[in-house]
Amino acid sequence: MSEIPDSQPAESAATRALLCPEILIEIFKHLTPGSPNKYALPRLRARRRENQKALARAACVCRAFSEPALDILWRVVDCLPDLLCVLPSFTLHNKKTYVLTRDISDEEWARFQDYARCVRELYTASSKPVSSSVYMFLAKHCQNGQGLLPQLQTLDSFCVRPNELGKILLLTPTLRRLVLVMDSCRREIEDPVVIRTILQMIQDIAIPRLESLRVSPVDNYLRPEGLNPEITPYVQLAHLQELELISQCVLDKPMLEELLGFPVLRKLAIAVKITPEILDDDAPLPAQGFKALRDLTVVGRTDSVTKFLQWTSPSSLEKLALKYSNRAQLIDSRVLEASAQSLRQLELAFTSDCLPNGLLDALRPALELQALTHVVVKIRVEDGDSLPVTNSDMRTLADAWPHLVHFEVNIDEIEDEDEVIDQDDAPVYPSPGDLVAFAERHPHLVRLVWPYLSTNGNGNDDPHWRTPGTVPALNHGLQVFRLCLVADLGSQGYRQLAMFLDRLFPSLDLSGFCCPRGAKSSEDDSDGSDTSEREYGHWCDVVQMLLAIRFGRETAVAY
């Protein structure tokens, strides 16, 4: 009798382990794709796609691998048609609308349920609509009270239209997080009765575990004359931990007291409009709330935003975003004092005409918050204003917050402006040396958005630009960098700028790069050509040079 090799028992033990579903699930959990997030680092988005592919391949290996791999893969569904495509009769009709060409057989429904029971997160946004008749077919097979996806916990981009009531099949008692998207382009949706009806549906379906609710317009754009939801319909959901009302809410003191009655609210986003008759009311509110609030976003006119913060005075905020929609004096230092010790992230958004004395003057109340790690400033340039950021501003900001890991001065624009950025004052704009100094002072930065880099030589005697070899090799770990505005430098200038950035930030993550919208130098050129994507294209040109430099370096190392 031949001897059994010593390795055989170990191989058998490994085989038996891999055939155990519990062990396989633990292994495949390390490939969990997670939720889609367009703001994630590029390498994380790329890793998510690779994890999805790996799970799909593992499911094809054998039957033992198939069920646990598919269970992990289908926990997050990026698009509703991706799930419904499991049904053979689900198809795109005339390249416009998804339909079912026939009824669903019992075998097809049983197979669909195998996948549906795995789904925990569903993102319903789709470039093509799903016909309301599809939900009618599905309703015939769903058990009462369970909905289409019996284990669903997150439902995102749930667009509400009166002619698609069949979508109620997606609401289940297991929901934890719900994002309602109100189509504000339709007149019938503007009636608050529609919002009340949808919220009543949520309560009737009995969602006791709902923790997060977001209600926003389909385009996330604040229309002062659009949706005006009241706080009252949400009072019965006072157990929420997260509430986001992106459509404008008209508030008076009684409504605000109802909102303060949410005992465990940790995140609140609200577009406020305080009624004029109570703007001058300085009497404090009798109710003290928001003790658990950590994340607050307030959108509106300066007077309404300031009054809301004065009335509520949240004392333990870790993240605060203020988005102003009118020209007025900006941050009142009193609104930051209550959370000065706990605040770590600050975001401000306003138009350039809010900055009569420059960016630094607007940010001065925040300069004392030494513990900030995330600072985001978004400026929409209006009426041909010149760039409201100078080199002196950026030098001062470089010394303001020593613990930064995320910093943005992001320049946007108002549409249909002839001259958005004035290039005549280029010498006062941030120079390459200012960027070098900022990077040296903040070695732990992960994300950086810089407004503009003056490189055109018009009075710019910066040695870092004239002689790229003088740029210090910081070996900085910055992952994401973007210039909002890039002048027309020509191919040689783009190459020089790319070499400068590559030496300064050698670890930039360029995987999955896509060009963001950028500010425009003008809407129409003298020859009538459209230049709406001019600055957008110039930054793309720089990134193309960066990619070429990166490829050359990696190839040289490989050989």
Side-chain angles (χ1 to χ4, degrees), residues 66-88:
S66 180
E67 183 174 345
L70 291 177
D71 179 69
I72 301 296
L73 177 62
W74 284 93
R75 287 188 180 184
V76 180
V77 178
D78 295 353
C79 178
L80 181 59
D82 290 349
L83 175 63
L84 296 179
C85 280
V86 173
L87 299 169

Side-chain angles (χ1 to χ4, degrees), residues 23-33 55 68 72 75:
I23 294 178
L24 283 175
I25 288 177
E26 290 301 318
I27 293 174
F28 289 138
K29 277 183 180 179
H30 291 279
L31 296 175
T32 300
L55 288 168
I72 301 296
R75 287 188 180 184

Side-chain angles (χ1 to χ4, degrees), residues 413-516:
E413 89 296 333
I414 299 292
E415 297 292 341
D416 300 325
E417 297 297 334
D418 293 332
E419 294 182 357
V420 175
I421 302 300
D422 181 9
Q423 302 290 351
D424 294 335
D425 295 330
V428 303
Y429 288 160
S431 68
D434 296 325
L435 180 58
V436 171
F438 197 96
E440 289 176 331
R441 286 172 172 79
H442 300 284
H444 303 298
L445 270 176
V446 177
R447 288 179 183 267
L448 177 61
V449 176
W450 198 257
Y452 178 67
L453 209 57
S454 180
T455 59
N456 58 9
N458 185 16
N460 177 19
D461 194 32
D462 193 317
H464 294 106
W465 181 248
R466 288 186 294 101
T467 310
T470 63
V471 179
L474 300 180
N475 196 27
H476 200 288
L478 190 74
Q479 295 290 298
V480 177
F481 176 80
R482 179 165 66 87
L483 277 175
C484 296
L485 300 173
V486 179
D488 188 357
L489 303 174
S491 59
Q492 181 63 28
Y494 298 143
R495 179 175 178 272
Q496 189 173 358
L497 177 55
M499 292 176 64
F500 166 78
L501 294 175
D502 181 70
R503 182 169 176 82
L504 196 59
F505 306 121
S507 301
L508 287 181
D509 187 349
L510 303 175
S511 59
F513 168 77
C514 60
C515 292

Side-chain angles (χ1 to χ4, degrees), residues 277-294:
E277 59 271 15
I278 62 172
L279 275 175
D280 297 329
D281 185 356
D282 293 328
L285 290 173
Q288 296 296 324
F290 290 162
K291 294 181 179 179
L293 195 65
R294 298 294 182 269

Side-chain angles (χ1 to χ4, degrees), residues 35 75 77 79-80 83 119-125 135 148-149 151-160 166-172 174-181 198 202 205 207 210 212-215:
S35 305
R75 287 188 180 184
V77 178
C79 178
L80 181 59
L83 175 63
V119 179
R120 301 296 188 273
E121 297 183 27
L122 174 63
Y123 296 80
T124 60
Y135 298 104
L148 185 65
L149 309 171
Q151 302 298 324
L152 188 65
Q153 296 179 4
T154 296
L155 178 57
D156 204 314
S157 305
F158 185 60
C159 193
V160 180
K167 280 188 174 181
I168 196 174
L169 289 173
L170 297 175
L171 299 176
T172 67
T174 58
L175 274 179
R176 303 285 197 281
R177 179 176 181 269
L178 175 62
V179 178
L180 291 175
V181 179
I198 296 299
I202 295 174
I205 295 173
I207 310 182
L210 191 66
S212 174
L213 174 64
R214 176 186 174 102
V215 181

Side-chain angles (χ1 to χ4, degrees), residues 245-402:
L245 304 176
I246 306 303
S247 299
Q248 191 176 67
C249 299
V250 180
L251 292 178
D252 56 20
K253 273 193 172 181
M255 291 181 184
L256 191 52
E257 288 178 3
E258 290 179 339
L259 186 60
L260 287 169
F262 284 51
V264 293
L265 194 65
R266 295 183 60 84
K267 179 179 181 180
L268 174 65
I270 187 168
V272 298
K273 180 179 181 182
I274 306 295
T275 53
E277 59 271 15
I278 62 172
L279 275 175
D280 297 329
D281 185 356
D282 293 328
L285 290 173
Q288 296 296 324
F290 290 162
K291 294 181 179 179
L293 195 65
R294 298 294 182 269
D295 185 342
L296 175 62
T297 298
V298 189
V299 184
R301 295 177 61 86
T302 307
D303 51 3
S304 292
V305 171
T306 302
K307 178 61 68 173
F308 179 87
L309 292 170
Q310 288 176 356
W311 272 347
T312 56
S313 299
S315 59
S316 301
L317 287 181
E318 297 172 358
K319 180 178 181 181
L320 175 64
L322 304 177
K323 303 180 181 181
Y324 298 97
S325 61
N326 70 311
R327 177 177 182 173
Q329 182 179 1
L330 290 178
I331 314 173
D332 185 338
S333 59
R334 291 175 296 175
V335 306
L336 299 178
E337 290 174 357
S339 297
Q341 299 299 320
S342 59
L343 198 63
R344 296 294 180 270
Q345 301 185 38
L346 178 65
E347 178 179 342
L348 301 170
F350 39 75
T351 57
S352 56
D353 57 2
C354 291
L355 305 171
N357 300 318
L359 176 64
L360 189 61
D361 186 64
L363 293 178
R364 200 167 301 280
L367 298 182
E368 303 299 324
L369 304 178
Q370 295 289 307
L372 289 178
T373 59
H374 295 64
V375 176
V376 176
V377 180
K378 297 181 179 180
I379 307 172
R380 175 166 285 196
V381 181
E382 191 172 14
D383 296 333
D385 289 347
S386 61
L387 179 65
V389 184
T390 67
N391 54 358
S392 139
D393 292 339
M394 301 308 290
R395 291 169 187 169
T396 302
L397 295 179
D399 296 324
W401 305 292

